Amino acid sequence: MTVTAYQQAQRQGQGVVRDVILDAAKRLLVGEGPGALTVRRISAEVGCSTKVIYTLFGGKDGLSEALWLEGFARFERRLLEVPAHDDPLARLHEGLAAYRDYALSEPDYYRVMFQGAMPGFKAGEESVRVAKRTFDLLVRGVAACLEAGVLRGGTATEIADVLWMAMHGAVSLEISDFFDQGEAEQRYRLLCASVLTPFLASAEKDAS
Amino acid sequence: MTVTAYQQAQRQGQGVVRDVILDAAKRLLVGEGPGALTVRRISAEVGCSTKVIYTLFGGKDGLSEALWLEGFARFERRLLEVPAHDDPLARLHEGLAAYRDYALSEPDYYRVMFQGAMPGFKAGEESVRVAKRTFDLLVRGVAACLEAGVLRGGTATEIADVLWMAMHGAVSLEISDFFDQGEAEQRYRLLCASVLTPFLASAEKDAS
DNA sequence: AAAAGAAGGGTAACAGTGTTACCCGAGAGA
DNA sequence: TCTCTCGGGTAACACTGTTACCCTTCTTTT
């Protein structure tokens, strides 16, 4: 059962084709929204038949899963851009702002990731595990604050989850146009500050 | 241009048929999820041709809009079940719990209302206005707390919006299976308490 | 070296979707 | 009674995801 050179080349070739297809799908998602993600459209964009998508991704669900994970990968890349800081709390705040930034900069990806924008697709367990790892960054940011003593009153995962829920709610409603122009940003800041306040160690009552 | 008895009967008849169709759609949504909401399926359920849906609703979008508003109507009905209370803050807390209750009891409606579960459908401006009125209940609950002096530090709409964002985020992630079994309820309680704490007039630091 | 086997990929079909042009038939108005 | 308007059924259109069939190409075997 040796792997022949041909098989290797073939596999590499398939890998390249896979990337080309995935790139076309990403382009369609960002450019025209989830509605443009049809097997025929993507294969036409690439210049191959629909069959290729079935052999390489095992159907539309496989491609959807790849796109879903790509969304989290981009998300993580954006979160990693947040520079290190002396003050862990300031860094956490910048992370919270980066969360909204990403969602607003690529709302269709956000919809795919969190609002089931691809009808019929449901991420598998393994993918969910991978995707959730993105939030380890948030947990670590909270943990740093706990260690520095600027936050208290909960475990890192508890506080991180609470922050996540709040941010997701805000961003989710914003990209669904439930807020008026301009209102959203102020509300987001107020929400982040409010959620964090009860966990501040220096618990002055600050209502800004 | 008098309205004849026939026209009136006709219109009444159409109204009845409209309700029958809408009922079938509601049944399909609750019973089988948004995926079952196809024009053919609904008309088959009712026993008419697809054309009727087009004359009575002007296409699938019209029917979708009716379902969307129905979701908010049910939501409002659930929120109105929260009994009056001497303590406005206790009542507010029960309202927050009712929010999650509704979303968990009819997740497919919630998905339709807030996650765009009907592909291609986007609610019109007028419908959005009507839907948003549901949240007047929440604003009034917050306003009562402000008047009673148990909350402070923001306007009623500000605090209500912050609560809404937080609750929506929590519930939205929960029905999308991002939390483990049992975790969700505790997180929801922690979130509600956290968001509200900074606005409490009796600002003891209470981390429960 | 030639035949046999395996496998990727194109074509064209299937069943499903929303939508509509075309009809027919029933009631309104003359 | 004759016309005419209009609701509604049939059947088609252009889409969707998916797959059976076939051809080509490379590997393997004799």
Side-chain angles (χ1 to χ4, degrees):
Chain A
M1 255 318 190
T2 64
V3 176
T4 68
Y6 168 74
Q7 286 173 330
Q8 197 173 341
Q10 166 93 357
R11 216 165 284 174
Q12 278 182 12
Q14 286 197 341
V16 174
V17 174
R18 220 189 110 101
D19 287 347
V20 170
I21 290 174
L22 207 49
D23 278 343
K26 295 178 202 172
R27 224 176 320 126
L28 284 172
L29 174 60
V30 173
E32 306 185 28
L37 292 174
T38 74
V39 177
R40 278 180 177 80
R41 183 73 196 282
I42 296 166
S43 53
E45 209 79 16
V46 175
C48 65
S49 80
T50 62
K51 188 74 188 307
V52 180
I53 292 179
Y54 284 84
T55 59
L56 293 184
F57 292 89
K60 200 195 179 185
D61 271 15
L63 202 152
S64 299
E65 190 140 38
L67 272 177
W68 194 73
L69 289 172
E70 168 71 13
F72 283 93
R74 284 167 180 240
F75 190 19
E76 185 160 37
R77 240 175 288 151
R78 174 68 187 83
L79 294 180
L80 285 171
E81 284 176 13
V82 176
H85 240 278
D86 288 344
D87 182 2
L89 189 58
R91 179 155 204 252
L92 184 60
H93 265 110
E94 285 184 34
L96 304 189
Y99 190 108
R100 175 163 174 266
D101 275 356
Y102 173 74
L104 295 187
S105 70
E106 292 191 321
D108 283 318
Y109 265 110
Y110 197 86
R111 276 186 265 266
V112 161
M113 292 155 67
F114 292 113
Q115 301 194 14
M118 304 169 123
F121 168 72
K122 182 88 172 54
E125 282 187 26
E126 180 55 29
S127 294
V128 172
R129 248 191 304 279
V130 172
K132 272 178 139 177
R133 263 211 297 273
T134 308
F135 292 96
D136 288 351
L137 285 170
L138 179 59
V139 176
R140 277 206 290 276
V142 172
C145 291
L146 288 171
E147 282 162 29
V150 290
L151 289 183
R152 33 102 270 200
T155 69
T157 57
E158 271 176 354
I159 299 177
D161 278 356
V162 165
L163 285 171
W164 181 26
M165 294 187 282
M167 290 186 292
H168 168 67
V171 156
S172 174
L173 290 176
E174 182 174 2
I175 66 175
S176 300
D177 287 331
F178 276 103
F179 291 118
D180 295 335
Q181 176 75 23
E183 231 180 39
E185 186 176 351
Q186 186 262 339
R187 293 287 194 274
Y188 187 76
R189 274 205 292 262
L190 182 59
L191 175 65
C192 288
S194 302
V195 170
L196 221 39
T197 300
F199 300 102
L200 286 178
S202 63
E204 323 296 343
K205 298 146 220 165
D206 186 14
S208 125
Chain B
M1 253 326 190
T2 64
V3 176
T4 69
Y6 168 74
Q7 288 172 329
Q8 199 174 339
Q10 166 92 357
R11 216 164 286 173
Q12 278 182 11
Q14 287 198 340
V16 174
V17 174
R18 220 189 110 99
D19 288 346
V20 169
I21 291 175
L22 207 48
D23 279 344
K26 295 178 203 171
R27 223 176 320 127
L28 283 172
L29 175 59
V30 173
E32 306 186 28
L37 291 175
T38 74
V39 176
R40 281 181 175 79
R41 182 74 196 279
I42 295 166
S43 53
E45 209 80 14
V46 175
C48 65
S49 81
T50 61
K51 189 73 186 306
V52 180
I53 291 179
Y54 284 84
T55 60
L56 293 183
F57 292 90
K60 200 196 179 184
D61 270 14
L63 202 153
S64 298
E65 189 139 38
L67 272 177
W68 194 73
L69 289 171
E70 168 71 13
F72 283 93
R74 284 169 180 240
F75 190 20
E76 186 160 36
R77 240 175 286 150
R78 174 68 188 85
L79 293 180
L80 285 171
E81 283 175 13
V82 176
H85 241 278
D86 288 345
D87 182 1
L89 189 59
R91 180 154 203 253
L92 184 60
H93 265 111
E94 286 185 33
L96 304 189
Y99 190 108
R100 176 165 174 265
D101 275 357
Y102 173 74
L104 295 187
S105 69
E106 292 191 320
D108 282 320
Y109 265 110
Y110 198 87
R111 276 186 265 265
V112 163
M113 293 154 66
F114 293 111
Q115 300 194 17
M118 306 170 120
F121 169 71
K122 180 87 174 53
E125 281 187 29
E126 181 54 29
S127 294
V128 171
R129 250 192 302 279
V130 172
K132 272 177 138 178
R133 264 211 296 274
T134 307
F135 293 95
D136 287 352
L137 285 170
L138 178 59
V139 176
R140 276 206 291 277
V142 173
C145 291
L146 288 171
E147 283 161 28
V150 290
L151 288 183
R152 34 101 267 202
T155 69
T157 55
E158 272 177 355
I159 299 177
D161 278 355
V162 165
L163 285 171
W164 180 24
M165 294 186 284
M167 291 187 293
H168 168 66
V171 155
S172 175
L173 290 176
E174 181 174 2
I175 65 175
S176 299
D177 287 331
F178 276 101
F179 290 119
D180 295 335
Q181 177 75 22
E183 229 181 39
E185 186 175 352
Q186 186 262 339
R187 292 286 194 275
Y188 187 75
R189 273 205 293 263
L190 182 59
L191 175 66
C192 287
S194 302
V195 170
L196 222 38
T197 301
F199 299 102
L200 285 178
S202 63
E204 322 298 346
K205 298 147 222 166
D206 185 13
S208 126

